[in-house]
Amino acid sequence: EWVHASLREHLIARVPGAERAALHREAADALEVRAGAEDVQAERAAHLHGAGAVDAACEAMIEACAWSSRRGEEAERERRAERLLSWARTDAHRARAHAELAHVAVGARDLERAEAHLAEARACAAGSARPWVAFRETQVATFARDAERVERAAREALSLAREEGDAEVETLALGALGLAARRRGDPDDARACFEACAARARARGDLVTEARATTHLGNLAPTESLPLF
């Protein structure tokens, strides 16, 4: 079995080119069964690319970026997004790569670079990438302190997510709209958005987003229960 990464790489490197692609595919298939529970998507993506399955490699690298994001490994996430960009053959994959790099730049507090990557993502956004590009704009706009743009991008992300059937972005966009409503002083709208966000996160098994939405709901309650004088 293809268990150890170093062994896989050593053996595949010694195989003649004509057979190497098949071994890359075998290694990718072996890693697939662990993809949901372990951070193996970057390695799987490399094997898919070696097998000539470039589009599938890009999809796996997108998942690898998500793993790095969840773990707060921004340097690794940036490397993975750059690799995705170098491999991308479709507008959708190029847009996802630029959108991820825009968010990485926000984390690095580099608004100019974030806006540049976002503009590139907007220019080539297509298909399933569109909801993510719109959602990443909410994060860039939040860093730029542009409340109107945040809400506009969040509404666009929600609409596109529903159009594309992207439950993850739909959930995140509802959370962003809840925050926008709270900032403009509309607790009823904020509560509705956070409740919807929490419910969708719960249905998806996304405990982190559910906890965040529930926390924001809790933060609304004390303000409403205090006298207004």
Side-chain angles (χ1 to χ4, degrees), residues 125-165:
S128 62
R130 295 183 302 153
W132 276 105
V133 172
F135 179 68
R136 292 304 185 207
E137 181 163 3
T138 70
Q139 295 165 314
V140 174
T142 297
F143 180 47
R145 299 181 182 276
D146 187 338
E148 289 186 5
R149 184 184 175 196
V150 169
E151 189 158 3
R152 185 172 62 249
R155 292 193 185 283
E156 181 188 6
L158 181 61
S159 176
L160 290 172
R162 287 172 173 170
E163 182 181 326
E164 294 289 336

Side-chain angles (χ1 to χ4, degrees), residues 21-22 24-25 45-57 89:
H24 275 300
R25 170 59 75 174
H47 285 299
L48 286 167
H49 193 269
V54 179
D55 290 344
R89 300 187 303 185

Side-chain angles (χ1 to χ4, degrees), residues 26-62:
E26 186 176 339
D29 289 346
L31 289 166
E32 186 173 11
V33 298
R34 296 160 52 197
E38 299 178 46
D39 184 9
V40 297
Q41 287 285 27
E43 185 185 354
R44 180 169 171 266
H47 285 299
L48 286 167
H49 193 269
V54 179
D55 290 344
C58 288
E59 289 296 322
M61 192 57 79
I62 288 170

